[in-house]
Coordinates of all heavy atoms in Angstrom, one line a residue:
M192 N -15.5 15.7 13.8 CA -16.3 15.0 14.8 C -17.7 15.5 14.7 O -18.7 14.7 14.9 CB -15.8 15.3 16.2 CG -16.4 14.7 17.3 SD -15.1 14.3 18.6 CE -16.2 13.7 19.8
M193 N -17.9 16.8 14.5 CA -19.4 17.2 14.4 C -20.1 16.6 13.3 O -21.2 16.3 13.3 CB -19.4 18.8 14.3 CG -18.9 19.4 15.5 SD -18.7 21.2 15.3 CE -20.2 21.7 14.6
A194 N -19.4 16.3 12.1 CA -20.0 15.7 10.9 C -20.4 14.3 11.3 O -21.4 13.8 10.8 CB -18.9 15.8 9.8
V195 N -19.5 13.6 12.0 CA -19.7 12.2 12.3 C -21.0 12.2 13.2 O -21.9 11.3 13.1 CB -18.6 11.6 13.0 CG1 -18.9 10.2 13.6 CG2 -17.4 11.5 12.0
E196 N -21.1 13.1 14.1 CA -22.3 13.2 15.0 C -23.7 13.4 14.2 O -24.6 13.0 14.6 CB -22.2 14.2 16.1 CG -21.0 13.8 17.1 CD -20.8 15.0 18.0 OE1 -21.4 16.0 18.0 OE2 -19.9 14.8 19.0
A197 N -23.6 14.0 13.1 CA -24.7 14.3 12.3 C -25.3 13.0 11.6 O -26.5 13.0 11.3 CB -24.4 15.3 11.2
W198 N -24.4 11.9 11.5 CA -25.0 10.7 10.9 C -25.5 9.9 12.0 O -25.1 9.8 13.2 CB -23.8 10.1 10.2 CG -23.6 10.5 8.8 CD1 -24.4 10.6 7.7 CD2 -22.4 11.1 8.3 NE1 -23.8 11.1 6.6 CE2 -22.6 11.5 7.0 CE3 -21.1 11.3 8.9 CZ2 -21.5 12.0 6.2 CZ3 -20.1 12.0 8.1 CH2 -20.4 12.3 6.9
D199 N -26.5 9.0 11.5 CA -27.1 8.1 12.5 C -26.2 6.9 13.0 O -26.3 6.5 14.1 CB -28.4 7.5 11.9 CG -29.4 8.6 11.6 OD1 -29.4 9.5 12.4 OD2 -30.2 8.4 10.8
S200 N -25.3 6.5 12.1 CA -24.5 5.3 12.3 C -23.2 5.3 11.5 O -23.1 6.0 10.5 CB -25.2 4.1 12.2 OG -25.6 3.9 10.8
E201 N -22.3 4.4 11.8 CA -21.1 4.1 11.0 C -21.5 3.7 9.6 O -20.9 4.0 8.6 CB -20.2 3.2 11.7 CG -19.0 3.8 12.3 CD -18.2 2.8 12.8 OE1 -17.5 1.9 12.0 OE2 -17.9 2.7 14.1
D202 N -22.5 2.8 9.5 CA -23.1 2.3 8.3 C -23.4 3.5 7.4 O -23.2 3.3 6.2 CB -24.2 1.3 8.5 CG -23.7 0.0 9.2 OD1 -22.5 -0.3 9.1 OD2 -24.6 -0.6 9.8
Q203 N -24.2 4.4 8.0 CA -24.6 5.6 7.2 C -23.5 6.4 6.7 O -23.4 6.8 5.5 CB -25.5 6.5 8.0 CG -26.1 7.6 7.2 CD -27.1 7.1 6.1 OE1 -27.8 6.2 6.4 NE2 -27.1 7.8 5.0
I204 N -22.4 6.5 7.5 CA -21.2 7.2 7.0 C -20.6 6.4 5.8 O -20.2 7.1 4.7 CB -20.2 7.2 8.2 CG1 -20.6 8.2 9.2 CG2 -18.7 7.8 7.6 CD1 -19.8 8.1 10.5
V205 N -20.4 5.2 5.8 CA -19.9 4.4 4.7 C -20.8 4.5 3.6 O -20.3 4.6 2.5 CB -19.7 2.8 5.3 CG1 -19.2 2.0 4.1 CG2 -18.7 2.8 6.3
K206 N -22.0 4.3 3.7 CA -23.0 4.4 2.5 C -22.9 5.8 1.9 O -22.9 5.9 0.7 CB -24.4 4.2 3.1 CG -25.4 4.2 2.0 CD -26.8 4.0 2.6 CE -27.9 4.1 1.5 NZ -29.2 4.2 2.0
D207 N -22.9 6.9 2.6 CA -22.7 8.2 2.0 C -21.4 8.4 1.3 O -21.4 9.2 0.4 CB -23.0 9.3 3.2 CG -24.4 9.4 3.7 OD1 -25.3 8.7 3.0 OD2 -24.6 9.9 4.7
A208 N -20.4 7.9 1.9 CA -19.0 8.1 1.3 C -18.8 7.2 0.1 O -18.0 7.6 -0.7 CB -17.9 7.8 2.4
Q209 N -19.5 6.1 0.0 CA -19.4 5.1 -1.0 C -19.4 5.8 -2.4 O -18.6 5.6 -3.4 CB -20.3 4.0 -1.0 CG -19.9 2.9 -2.0 CD -18.6 2.2 -1.7 OE1 -18.2 2.1 -0.5 NE2 -17.9 1.8 -2.8
K210 N -20.4 6.7 -2.7 CA -20.5 7.4 -4.0 C -19.3 8.2 -4.4 O -18.9 8.2 -5.5 CB -21.8 8.1 -4.1 CG -22.0 9.4 -3.2 CD -23.2 10.0 -3.3 CE -23.3 11.2 -2.3 NZ -24.6 11.8 -2.3
Y211 N -18.8 8.8 -3.4 CA -17.5 9.7 -3.6 C -16.3 8.8 -3.8 O -15.5 9.2 -4.7 CB -17.3 10.6 -2.4 CG -18.5 11.6 -2.3 CD1 -19.2 11.6 -1.1 CD2 -18.7 12.5 -3.2 CE1 -20.2 12.5 -1.0 CE2 -19.7 13.5 -3.1 CZ -20.5 13.5 -1.9 OH -21.5 14.3 -1.8
I212 N -16.2 7.7 -3.1 CA -15.1 6.8 -3.3 C -15.1 6.2 -4.7 O -14.1 6.2 -5.4 CB -15.1 5.6 -2.2 CG1 -14.9 6.3 -0.8 CG2 -14.1 4.5 -2.6 CD1 -15.1 5.3 0.2
E213 N -16.2 5.8 -5.1 CA -16.5 5.2 -6.5 C -16.1 6.4 -7.6 O -15.4 6.0 -8.5 CB -17.8 4.7 -6.7 CG -18.1 3.4 -5.9 CD -19.5 3.0 -6.0 OE1 -20.4 3.6 -6.6 OE2 -19.8 2.0 -5.3
K214 N -16.6 7.5 -7.3 CA -16.4 8.6 -8.3 C -14.8 8.9 -8.4 O -14.3 9.0 -9.5 CB -17.1 9.8 -7.9 CG -16.9 11.0 -8.6 CD -17.7 12.2 -8.0 CE -17.5 13.5 -8.7 NZ -18.4 14.6 -8.0
L215 N -14.2 9.0 -7.3 CA -12.8 9.4 -7.3 C -12.0 8.2 -7.9 O -10.9 8.5 -8.4 CB -12.4 9.8 -5.8 CG -12.7 11.1 -5.3 CD1 -12.3 11.4 -4.0 CD2 -12.3 12.3 -6.2
N216 N -12.4 7.0 -7.5 CA -11.6 5.9 -8.0 C -11.7 5.8 -9.6 O -10.7 5.6 -10.4 CB -12.2 4.6 -7.5 CG -11.4 3.4 -7.9 OD1 -10.1 3.4 -7.8 ND2 -12.0 2.3 -8.4
E217 N -12.8 6.1 -10.1 CA -13.0 6.2 -11.6 C -12.2 7.3 -12.2 O -11.5 7.1 -13.2 CB -14.5 6.4 -12.0 CG -14.8 6.5 -13.4 CD -16.2 6.8 -13.7 OE1 -17.1 6.4 -12.9 OE2 -16.5 7.4 -14.8
I218 N -12.2 8.4 -11.6 CA -11.5 9.6 -12.0 C -9.9 9.3 -12.0 O -9.1 9.6 -12.9 CB -11.8 10.9 -11.2 CG1 -13.2 11.3 -11.6 CG2 -10.7 12.0 -11.5 CD1 -13.7 12.4 -10.6
Y219 N -9.5 8.7 -10.9 CA -8.1 8.3 -10.7 C -7.6 7.4 -11.7 O -6.6 7.7 -12.4 CB -7.9 7.7 -9.3 CG -6.5 7.1 -9.1 CD1 -5.6 7.9 -8.4 CD2 -6.2 5.8 -9.4 CE1 -4.4 7.5 -8.1 CE2 -5.0 5.4 -9.1 CZ -4.0 6.2 -8.4 OH -2.9 5.6 -8.2
N220 N -8.4 6.4 -12.0 CA -8.0 5.5 -13.0 C -7.9 6.1 -14.5 O -7.0 5.9 -15.3 CB -8.9 4.3 -13.1 CG -8.7 3.4 -11.9 OD1 -7.5 3.3 -11.5 ND2 -9.8 2.7 -11.5
Y221 N -8.9 7.0 -14.7 CA -8.9 7.8 -16.0 C -7.7 8.6 -16.2 O -7.0 8.6 -17.2 CB -10.2 8.7 -16.2 CG -10.2 9.5 -17.4 CD1 -10.6 8.9 -18.7 CD2 -9.8 10.8 -17.2 CE1 -10.6 9.6 -19.7 CE2 -9.8 11.6 -18.5 CZ -10.2 11.1 -19.6 OH -10.2 11.8 -20.8
V222 N -7.4 9.4 -15.1 CA -6.3 10.3 -15.3 C -4.9 9.6 -15.3 O -4.1 9.9 -16.1 CB -6.2 11.3 -14.1 CG1 -5.0 12.1 -13.9 CG2 -7.5 12.3 -14.1
L223 N -4.8 8.5 -14.6 CA -3.6 7.7 -14.6 C -3.3 7.1 -16.0 O -2.3 7.1 -16.6 CB -3.7 6.7 -13.6 CG -2.3 5.9 -13.2 CD1 -1.2 6.8 -12.9 CD2 -2.5 4.8 -12.2
N224 N -4.5 6.6 -16.5 CA -4.4 6.0 -17.9 C -3.9 7.1 -18.9 O -3.2 6.9 -20.0 CB -5.7 5.3 -18.3 CG -5.9 4.0 -17.7 OD1 -4.9 3.3 -17.3 ND2 -7.1 3.6 -17.5
Q225 N -4.6 8.2 -18.8 CA -4.1 9.4 -19.7 C -2.6 9.8 -19.5 O -2.0 9.9 -20.6 CB -5.1 10.7 -19.4 CG -6.5 10.5 -19.7 CD -6.7 10.3 -21.2 OE1 -6.2 11.0 -22.1 NE2 -7.6 9.4 -21.6
A226 N -2.2 9.7 -18.3 CA -0.8 10.1 -18.1 C 0.1 8.9 -18.7 O 1.1 9.2 -19.4 CB -0.5 10.2 -16.6
Y227 N -0.3 7.7 -18.5 CA 0.4 6.5 -19.1 C 0.4 6.6 -20.6 O 1.5 6.4 -21.2 CB -0.2 5.2 -18.7 CG 0.1 4.9 -17.2 CD1 -0.4 3.7 -16.7 CD2 0.9 5.5 -16.4 CE1 -0.3 3.3 -15.4 CE2 1.2 5.2 -15.1 CZ 0.6 4.0 -14.6 OH 0.8 3.6 -13.3
S228 N -0.7 7.0 -21.3 CA -0.7 7.1 -22.6 C 0.2 8.3 -23.1 O 0.9 8.0 -24.1 CB -2.0 7.4 -23.1 OG -3.0 6.3 -22.9
C229 N 0.3 9.3 -22.4 CA 1.2 10.4 -22.8 C 2.6 9.9 -22.7 O 3.4 10.1 -23.6 CB 0.9 11.5 -21.8 SG 2.2 12.9 -22.0
I230 N 3.1 9.2 -21.6 CA 4.4 8.9 -21.5 C 4.8 7.7 -22.6 O 5.7 7.9 -23.1 CB 4.7 8.2 -20.0 CG1 4.5 9.4 -19.0 CG2 5.9 7.5 -19.9 CD1 4.3 8.8 -17.5
E231 N 3.8 6.8 -22.8 CA 4.1 5.8 -23.9 C 4.3 6.3 -25.2 O 5.0 5.8 -26.0 CB 2.9 4.7 -23.8 CG 3.0 3.9 -22.6 CD 4.1 3.0 -22.3 OE1 4.7 2.5 -23.4 OE2 4.6 2.7 -21.3
S232 N 3.6 7.3 -25.5 CA 3.6 7.9 -26.8 C 4.8 8.9 -27.0 O 5.2 9.3 -28.1 CB 2.3 8.7 -27.2 OG 2.2 9.9 -26.4
F233 N 5.5 9.2 -25.9 CA 6.6 10.3 -26.0 C 7.8 9.5 -26.7 O 8.3 8.5 -26.3 CB 7.1 10.6 -24.6 CG 7.9 11.9 -24.7 CD1 7.3 13.1 -24.8 CD2 9.2 11.9 -24.4 CE1 8.0 14.3 -24.9 CE2 9.9 13.1 -24.5 CZ 9.3 14.3 -24.7
P234 N 8.2 10.2 -27.8 CA 9.3 9.5 -28.7 C 10.7 9.5 -28.1 O 10.9 10.4 -27.2 CB 9.3 10.3 -30.0 CG 8.7 11.7 -29.5 CD 7.8 11.4 -28.4
N235 N 11.5 8.7 -28.4 CA 12.8 8.6 -28.1 C 13.1 8.5 -26.6 O 14.1 8.8 -26.0 CB 13.6 9.8 -28.5 CG 13.6 9.9 -30.0 OD1 13.5 9.1 -30.7 ND2 13.4 11.2 -30.4
L236 N 12.1 7.8 -26.0 CA 12.3 7.6 -24.5 C 12.4 6.1 -24.3 O 11.5 5.4 -24.7 CB 11.1 8.2 -23.6 CG 11.1 8.3 -22.3 CD1 12.3 9.2 -21.8 CD2 9.8 8.8 -21.7
P237 N 13.5 5.6 -23.7 CA 13.7 4.2 -23.6 C 12.7 3.6 -22.6 O 12.1 4.3 -21.8 CB 15.1 4.1 -23.0 CG 15.8 5.4 -23.1 CD 14.6 6.4 -23.3
R238 N 12.3 2.4 -22.9 CA 11.3 1.5 -22.1 C 11.4 1.7 -20.6 O 10.5 1.9 -19.8 CB 11.2 0.1 -22.4 CG 10.1 -0.6 -21.9 CD 8.8 -0.2 -22.5 NE 7.7 -0.7 -21.6 CZ 6.7 0.0 -21.1 NH1 6.6 1.3 -21.4 NH2 5.8 -0.6 -20.3
N239 N 12.7 1.6 -20.1 CA 13.0 1.5 -18.7 C 12.7 2.9 -18.0 O 12.1 3.1 -17.0 CB 14.3 1.1 -18.3 CG 15.5 1.9 -18.9 OD1 15.3 2.6 -20.0 ND2 16.6 1.9 -18.3
E240 N 12.9 4.0 -18.8 CA 12.6 5.4 -18.4 C 11.1 5.6 -18.3 O 10.6 6.3 -17.5 CB 13.3 6.4 -19.4 CG 14.8 6.5 -19.1 CD 15.5 7.5 -19.8 OE1 14.8 8.7 -19.9 OE2 16.6 7.4 -20.2
K241 N 10.4 5.0 -19.3 CA 9.0 5.2 -19.4 C 8.3 4.5 -18.1 O 7.5 5.1 -17.5 CB 8.4 4.5 -20.6 CG 8.6 5.4 -21.9 CD 8.0 4.7 -23.1 CE 8.3 5.5 -24.3 NZ 7.8 4.9 -25.6
I242 N 8.9 3.4 -17.8 CA 8.4 2.6 -16.5 C 8.6 3.5 -15.4 O 7.8 3.7 -14.5 CB 9.0 1.3 -16.4 CG1 8.5 0.4 -17.5 CG2 8.7 0.7 -15.1 CD1 9.3 -0.9 -17.7
I243 N 9.8 4.1 -15.2 CA 10.1 5.0 -14.0 C 9.2 6.2 -14.0 O 8.6 6.5 -13.0 CB 11.6 5.3 -14.1 CG1 12.5 4.2 -13.9 CG2 11.9 6.5 -13.1 CD1 14.0 4.4 -14.2
Y244 N 8.9 6.8 -15.2 CA 8.0 8.0 -15.1 C 6.7 7.5 -14.8 O 5.9 8.4 -14.1 CB 8.2 8.7 -16.5 CG 9.4 9.5 -16.8 CD1 10.2 9.4 -17.9 CD2 9.8 10.5 -15.9 CE1 11.3 10.1 -18.1 CE2 10.8 11.3 -16.0 CZ 11.6 11.1 -17.2 OH 12.7 11.8 -17.3
E245 N 6.2 6.4 -15.3 CA 4.9 5.9 -14.9 C 4.7 5.7 -13.4 O 3.7 6.1 -12.8 CB 4.5 4.7 -15.7 CG 4.3 5.0 -17.1 CD 4.2 3.7 -18.0 OE1 4.2 2.6 -17.5 OE2 3.9 3.9 -19.3
E246 N 5.8 5.2 -12.9 CA 5.7 5.0 -11.4 C 5.7 6.3 -10.6 O 5.1 6.4 -9.7 CB 6.9 4.1 -11.0 CG 6.8 2.6 -11.4 CD 8.0 1.8 -11.0 OE1 9.1 2.4 -10.5 OE2 8.1 0.7 -11.3
Q247 N 6.5 7.3 -11.1 CA 6.6 8.5 -10.5 C 5.2 9.3 -10.6 O 4.8 10.0 -9.6 CB 7.7 9.4 -11.0 CG 9.0 8.9 -10.8 CD 10.1 9.7 -11.5 OE1 9.9 10.4 -12.5 NE2 11.5 9.5 -11.0
V248 N 4.6 9.2 -11.8 CA 3.4 9.8 -11.9 C 2.3 9.3 -11.0 O 1.4 10.0 -10.4 CB 2.9 9.8 -13.4 CG1 1.5 10.1 -13.7 CG2 3.7 10.7 -14.3
Q249 N 2.3 8.0 -10.9 CA 1.3 7.4 -10.1 C 1.5 7.8 -8.6 O 0.6 8.1 -7.9 CB 1.4 5.8 -10.2 CG 0.4 5.1 -9.3 CD 0.4 3.6 -9.5 OE1 1.3 3.1 -10.0 NE2 -0.7 2.9 -9.1
Q250 N 2.7 7.9 -8.1 CA 3.1 8.4 -6.7 C 2.6 9.8 -6.6 O 2.0 10.2 -5.6 CB 4.5 8.1 -6.5 CG 5.0 6.7 -6.3 CD 6.5 6.7 -6.1 OE1 7.2 7.5 -6.1 NE2 7.0 5.4 -6.0
Y251 N 2.8 10.6 -7.6 CA 2.4 12.0 -7.6 C 1.0 12.1 -7.4 O 0.4 12.9 -6.6 CB 3.0 12.7 -8.8 CG 2.6 14.1 -8.8 CD1 3.2 15.1 -7.8 CD2 1.6 14.7 -9.7 CE1 2.8 16.4 -7.9 CE2 1.2 16.0 -9.7 CZ 1.9 16.9 -8.8 OH 1.5 18.2 -8.8
L252 N 0.2 11.4 -8.2 CA -1.2 11.3 -8.3 C -1.8 10.9 -6.9 O -2.7 11.4 -6.5 CB -1.7 10.5 -9.4 CG -3.3 10.5 -9.7 CD1 -3.8 11.9 -9.9 CD2 -3.7 9.6 -10.8
N253 N -1.2 9.8 -6.4 CA -1.5 9.3 -5.1 C -1.5 10.4 -4.1 O -2.2 10.5 -3.2 CB -0.6 8.2 -4.7 CG -0.9 6.9 -5.4 OD1 -1.9 6.7 -6.1 ND2 0.0 6.0 -5.3
G254 N -0.4 11.4 -4.2 CA -0.2 12.4 -3.2 C -1.3 13.5 -3.4 O -1.5 14.3 -2.4
I255 N -1.7 13.8 -4.6 CA -2.6 15.0 -4.7 C -4.1 14.6 -4.8 O -4.9 15.4 -4.7 CB -2.2 15.7 -6.0 CG1 -2.4 14.9 -7.3 CG2 -0.9 16.3 -6.0 CD1 -2.3 15.7 -8.6
I256 N -4.4 13.3 -5.0 CA -5.7 12.9 -5.1 C -6.5 13.2 -3.7 O -7.7 13.6 -3.7 CB -6.0 11.5 -5.4 CG1 -7.5 11.1 -5.8 CG2 -5.6 10.5 -4.3 CD1 -7.8 11.6 -7.1
G257 N -5.8 13.2 -2.6 CA -6.4 13.5 -1.3 C -6.8 15.0 -1.1 O -7.6 15.3 -0.3
D258 N -6.2 15.8 -2.0 CA -6.6 17.3 -2.0 C -7.9 17.6 -2.7 O -8.3 18.8 -2.7 CB -5.4 18.2 -2.6 CG -4.2 18.0 -1.6 OD1 -4.4 17.7 -0.5 OD2 -3.0 18.1 -2.2
V259 N -8.4 16.6 -3.4 CA -9.6 16.9 -4.3 C -10.8 16.9 -3.5 O -11.0 16.1 -2.6 CB -9.7 15.7 -5.4 CG1 -11.0 15.9 -6.1 CG2 -8.5 16.0 -6.3
D260 N -11.7 17.9 -3.7 CA -13.0 17.9 -3.2 C -14.0 17.0 -4.0 O -14.3 17.4 -5.2 CB -13.5 19.3 -3.2 CG -14.9 19.5 -2.4 OD1 -15.6 18.5 -2.2 OD2 -15.3 20.6 -2.1
A261 N -14.4 15.9 -3.5 CA -15.0 14.9 -4.3 C -16.5 15.3 -4.5 O -17.2 14.8 -5.5 CB -15.2 13.6 -3.4
R262 N -16.9 16.4 -3.9 CA -18.3 17.0 -4.3 C -18.3 17.8 -5.5 O -19.3 18.1 -6.1 CB -18.8 17.9 -3.0 CG -18.9 17.0 -1.8 CD -19.2 18.0 -0.7 NE -18.0 18.8 -0.4 CZ -17.9 19.7 0.5 NH1 -18.8 19.9 1.3 NH2 -16.7 20.3 0.6
L263 N -17.2 18.1 -6.0 CA -17.1 18.9 -7.3 C -17.6 18.0 -8.5 O -17.5 16.8 -8.4 CB -15.6 19.4 -7.5 CG -15.0 20.4 -6.7 CD1 -13.6 20.6 -6.9 CD2 -15.8 21.7 -6.7
D264 N -17.8 18.7 -9.6 CA -18.2 18.0 -10.9 C -16.9 17.2 -11.3 O -15.8 17.5 -11.2 CB -18.5 19.1 -11.9 CG -18.8 18.5 -13.2 OD1 -19.8 17.8 -13.3 OD2 -18.1 18.6 -14.2
K265 N -17.4 16.0 -11.8 CA -16.4 15.1 -12.3 C -15.4 15.7 -13.3 O -14.2 15.5 -13.2 CB -17.1 13.8 -12.9 CG -16.2 12.8 -13.4 CD -17.1 11.6 -14.0 CE -16.2 10.6 -14.7 NZ -17.1 9.5 -15.3
N266 N -15.9 16.5 -14.2 CA -15.0 17.1 -15.2 C -14.0 18.2 -14.6 O -13.0 18.3 -15.1 CB -15.9 17.7 -16.4 CG -16.5 16.6 -17.2 OD1 -16.0 15.6 -17.4 ND2 -17.6 17.0 -17.8
E267 N -14.4 18.8 -13.6 CA -13.7 19.8 -12.8 C -12.5 19.1 -12.2 O -11.3 19.6 -12.3 CB -14.4 20.5 -11.9 CG -15.5 21.5 -12.3 CD -16.3 22.2 -11.3 OE1 -17.2 21.7 -10.8 OE2 -15.8 23.3 -10.8
I268 N -12.8 17.9 -11.6 CA -11.8 17.2 -10.9 C -10.8 16.6 -11.9 O -9.6 16.7 -11.7 CB -12.4 16.0 -10.1 CG1 -13.3 16.5 -9.0 CG2 -11.2 15.2 -9.5 CD1 -14.1 15.5 -8.3
I269 N -11.3 16.1 -13.0 CA -10.4 15.6 -14.1 C -9.5 16.8 -14.6 O -8.3 16.6 -14.8 CB -11.1 15.0 -15.2 CG1 -11.8 13.6 -14.7 CG2 -10.3 14.8 -16.4 CD1 -12.7 13.0 -15.7
S270 N -10.1 17.9 -14.9 CA -9.3 19.0 -15.4 C -8.2 19.5 -14.3 O -7.1 19.7 -14.8 CB -10.2 20.2 -15.7 OG -11.0 20.0 -16.7
F271 N -8.5 19.5 -13.1 CA -7.6 19.9 -12.1 C -6.4 18.9 -12.1 O -5.3 19.3 -12.1 CB -8.3 20.0 -10.7 CG -7.3 20.1 -9.5 CD1 -6.7 21.2 -9.3 CD2 -7.0 19.0 -8.9 CE1 -5.8 21.3 -8.1 CE2 -6.2 19.1 -7.7 CZ -5.5 20.2 -7.4
L272 N -6.8 17.6 -12.0 CA -5.7 16.5 -11.9 C -4.9 16.5 -13.2 O -3.6 16.3 -13.2 CB -6.3 15.2 -11.6 CG -7.0 15.1 -10.2 CD1 -7.8 13.7 -10.1 CD2 -5.9 15.3 -9.1
M273 N -5.6 16.7 -14.3 CA -4.8 16.5 -15.6 C -3.8 17.8 -15.6 O -2.7 17.6 -16.2 CB -5.7 16.5 -16.8 CG -6.4 15.2 -17.0 SD -5.4 13.8 -17.1 CE -4.4 14.2 -18.6
E274 N -4.3 18.9 -15.2 CA -3.4 20.1 -15.2 C -2.1 19.9 -14.3 O -1.0 20.1 -14.8 CB -4.2 21.3 -14.8 CG -3.4 22.5 -14.7 CD -4.2 23.8 -14.1 OE1 -5.3 23.8 -14.4 OE2 -3.5 24.6 -13.5
K275 N -2.4 19.2 -13.2 CA -1.3 19.0 -12.2 C -0.3 17.9 -12.8 O 0.9 18.0 -12.7 CB -1.8 18.5 -10.9 CG -2.5 19.6 -10.1 CD -1.6 20.7 -9.7 CE -2.2 21.6 -8.7 NZ -1.3 22.6 -8.3
I276 N -0.9 16.8 -13.4 CA 0.0 15.9 -14.1 C 0.7 16.3 -15.2 O 2.0 16.1 -15.4 CB -1.1 14.7 -14.4 CG1 -1.5 13.9 -13.3 CG2 -0.2 13.7 -15.4 CD1 -0.5 13.2 -12.4
N277 N 0.1 17.2 -16.1 CA 0.7 17.7 -17.2 C 1.9 18.6 -16.8 O 2.9 18.7 -17.3 CB -0.2 18.4 -18.2 CG -1.1 17.5 -18.9 OD1 -0.5 16.3 -19.3 ND2 -2.2 17.9 -19.2
E278 N 1.7 19.4 -15.7 CA 2.7 20.3 -15.1 C 3.8 19.4 -14.6 O 5.0 19.8 -14.8 CB 2.1 21.2 -14.1 CG 3.0 22.1 -13.4 CD 2.4 22.9 -12.3 OE1 1.2 23.4 -12.5 OE2 2.9 23.0 -11.2
Y279 N 3.5 18.4 -13.8 CA 4.5 17.4 -13.4 C 5.3 16.9 -14.5 O 6.7 16.9 -14.4 CB 3.8 16.4 -12.5 CG 4.9 15.4 -12.0 CD1 5.6 15.7 -10.8 CD2 5.1 14.2 -12.6 CE1 6.5 14.8 -10.4 CE2 6.1 13.3 -12.1 CZ 6.8 13.6 -10.9 OH 7.6 12.7 -10.5
L280 N 4.7 16.4 -15.5 CA 5.4 15.7 -16.6 C 6.3 16.8 -17.4 O 7.4 16.4 -17.8 CB 4.5 15.1 -17.6 CG 3.8 13.8 -17.1 CD1 2.7 13.3 -18.0 CD2 4.9 12.7 -16.9
S281 N 5.8 18.0 -17.6 CA 6.5 19.0 -18.3 C 7.8 19.4 -17.6 O 8.8 19.6 -18.2 CB 5.7 20.2 -18.7 OG 5.3 20.9 -17.5
N282 N 7.7 19.3 -16.2 CA 8.8 19.5 -15.4 C 9.9 18.5 -15.6 O 11.1 18.6 -15.3 CB 8.6 19.7 -13.9 CG 7.8 21.0 -13.6 OD1 8.0 22.0 -14.3 ND2 7.0 21.0 -12.6
Q283 N 9.5 17.4 -16.1 CA 10.4 16.1 -16.4 C 10.8 16.2 -17.8 O 11.5 15.2 -18.2 CB 9.6 14.8 -16.0 CG 9.1 14.7 -14.6 CD 10.0 14.9 -13.6 OE1 11.1 14.3 -13.7 NE2 9.7 15.6 -12.6
G284 N 10.3 17.1 -18.6 CA 10.7 17.2 -20.0 C 9.8 16.4 -20.9 O 10.1 16.2 -22.1
I285 N 8.6 16.0 -20.5 CA 7.7 15.3 -21.2 C 6.5 16.2 -21.4 O 5.8 16.6 -20.5 CB 7.2 13.9 -20.5 CG1 8.4 13.0 -20.3 CG2 6.1 13.2 -21.3 CD1 8.2 11.8 -19.4
Y286 N 6.2 16.4 -22.7 CA 5.0 17.2 -23.1 C 3.9 16.5 -23.8 O 4.3 15.8 -24.8 CB 5.5 18.5 -23.9 CG 6.5 19.2 -23.1 CD1 7.9 19.0 -23.3 CD2 6.2 20.2 -22.2 CE1 8.9 19.6 -22.6 CE2 7.3 20.9 -21.6 CZ 8.5 20.6 -21.8 OH 9.5 21.3 -21.1
C287 N 2.7 16.6 -23.3 CA 1.5 15.9 -23.9 C 0.8 16.9 -24.8 O 0.6 18.0 -24.4 CB 0.7 15.2 -23.0 SG 1.7 14.0 -21.9

């Protein structure tokens, strides 16, 4: 609430947040594509299982993206998310 009071208007809040939204959206898409590539390249995994893992990874990423501090450097955020995704996949027996 104190942060909202610091801005002049709702329009200013949206304007200031837009750069972070765009940044996180770009990072999200990059990390998700990397995870999909990993799953797709995993040998001996039937197509239907790949689809299931891709859906699970997307749900997992949706759950952790909110924990990211958008003010951090883009590469730091990507590293953090990729580490989490790789850990998640390795727990499923998929190693990239």
Side-chain angles (χ1 to χ4, degrees):
M192 182 148 178
M193 290 171 54
V195 171
E196 291 174 359
W198 280 299
D199 295 330
S200 68
E201 254 183 67
D202 291 336
Q203 185 64 41
I204 294 170
V205 171
K206 182 181 173 189
D207 290 348
Q209 189 63 35
K210 65 182 177 186
Y211 296 116
I212 292 168
E213 290 171 2
K214 177 181 174 181
L215 288 178
N216 188 48
E217 180 183 333
I218 291 169
Y219 175 90
N220 289 328
Y221 175 81
V222 170
L223 193 58
N224 285 332
Q225 293 295 315
Y227 285 175
S228 293
C229 170
I230 293 167
E231 288 296 326
S232 68
F233 200 74
N235 303 324
L236 195 59
R238 182 73 195 132
N239 61 335
E240 287 185 38
K241 288 180 180 182
I242 292 170
I243 291 168
Y244 284 126
E245 288 172 357
E246 290 174 0
Q247 290 175 346
V248 163
Q249 184 175 13
Q250 289 174 359
Y251 180 71
L252 184 57
N253 290 345
I255 63 172
I256 193 77
D258 296 335
V259 170
D260 183 346
R262 297 170 295 178
L263 292 174
D264 177 68
K265 183 178 174 179
N266 291 327
E267 288 179 278
I268 297 171
I269 290 171
S270 293
F271 169 77
L272 292 174
M273 288 304 300
E274 181 180 325
K275 292 292 189 180
I276 291 293
N277 286 331
E278 182 180 311
Y279 178 83
L280 287 173
S281 67
N282 288 337
Q283 308 301 317
I285 298 173
Y286 302 94
C287 300

